[in-house]
Amino acid sequence: MTTAFLSTTYFGPIQWYQKLHRYDQAVIDRQEAFMKQTFRNRCLIATTQGTQALTVPVVHDSKSTIADVLISDHGNWRHLHWQALQSAYGESPFFEYYEDDLRPFFAENNWERLLDYNDAICAKMCELLDIQPMLIAATNQTPADFRAVINPKHPLPDADFQPKAYYQVYQQKHGFLPNLSILDLLFNMGPESVFYL
């Protein structure tokens, strides 16, 4: 039985969801230290200007584990993120199909902790992608550790993930942009996203 060891993510990259789908089971580290500028609280989307990072503002101290990190309401970020997604993907083939499922993550303030918010996002994305990963709390095996590999700034080599091009709204302008947020794949490929994973 194969096990992937992952960090929590905010609308994580395609590579992260590929691990959920392809491994027999996955452990999401709930005790790791919070690290800035990672997918734990940011995602990357394609816009008319190229890649854009959407970052959830958080409240934490240097001793915080990911389970302690609180979401900040600073800067009306939920509204700004939703506007960015509408602007970037409003013309994509499947945005309208999924927008009602995803709008509550940006319209409601139902989550205090980042980990709970990310867990709710993961559950919804798995439902929309039609994948049923086995998420477990711990394992006796030595898992394949992807916590440092899946990183927006300095990704490490991953022999199991070779991004293949799929249709993207701004592909003619920027070329294919690999390993963006799972939202990019979902809005552009819809129900066929699971086959890409």
Side-chain angles (χ1 to χ4, degrees):
M1 181 168 281
T2 58
T3 304
F5 198 37
L6 303 165
S7 295
T8 184
T9 63
Y10 170 63
F11 290 106
I14 294 165
Q15 181 183 18
W16 192 87
Y17 280 91
Q18 181 208 50
K19 303 308 177 201
L20 282 189
H21 184 56
R22 290 191 180 178
Y23 278 71
D24 296 324
Q25 57 189 18
V27 177
I28 297 176
D29 190 348
R30 306 176 84 74
Q31 297 304 316
E32 68 180 346
F34 176 76
M35 295 179 359
K36 294 179 181 180
Q37 299 186 356
T38 64
F39 289 122
R40 290 162 184 83
N41 68 320
R42 75 170 46 188
C43 68
L44 301 176
I45 64 170
T47 69
T48 56
Q49 286 77 39
T51 303
Q52 178 183 347
L54 302 178
T55 304
V56 176
V58 295
V59 179
H60 67 93
D61 61 42
S62 60
K63 297 176 187 170
S64 292
T65 66
I66 195 68
D68 301 321
V69 175
L70 302 177
I71 297 172
S72 171
D73 284 327
H74 178 73
N76 199 21
W77 67 268
R78 287 176 185 84
H79 176 72
L80 295 174
H81 285 202
W82 185 246
Q83 279 189 318
L85 290 173
Q86 286 178 310
S87 176
Y89 296 107
E91 300 298 317
S92 67
F94 294 96
F95 180 81
E96 288 183 1
Y97 185 78
Y98 294 112
E99 71 177 315
D100 289 342
D101 289 305
L102 297 169
R103 187 180 293 118
F105 293 105
F106 304 96
E108 301 169 9
N109 187 4
N110 291 336
W111 298 275
E112 185 177 323
R113 296 182 325 144
L114 179 65
L115 187 61
D116 296 335
Y117 185 51
N118 288 350
D119 285 350
I121 289 169
C122 177
K124 178 54 76 176
M125 294 308 297
C126 288
E127 175 190 324
L128 297 177
L129 292 165
D130 195 24
I131 62 174
Q132 295 83 31
M134 181 184 293
L135 297 172
I136 60 172
T139 181
N140 293 331
Q141 301 176 341
T142 304
D145 191 344
F146 295 103
R147 292 174 301 166
V149 173
I150 303 173
N151 186 302
K153 295 280 187 179
H154 307 288
L156 297 176
D158 180 357
D160 294 331
F161 182 72
Q162 304 301 322
K164 293 186 172 106
Y166 57 88
Y167 169 80
Q168 290 179 325
V169 175
Y170 305 110
Q171 190 165 352
Q172 286 188 334
K173 187 173 184 179
H174 301 294
F176 176 70
L177 300 172
N179 205 26
L180 297 177
S181 168
I182 192 66
L183 292 172
D184 187 79
L185 181 65
L186 190 70
F187 291 149
N188 286 308
M189 298 298 290
E192 292 184 19
S193 298
V194 68
F195 301 116
Y196 184 87
L197 294 177

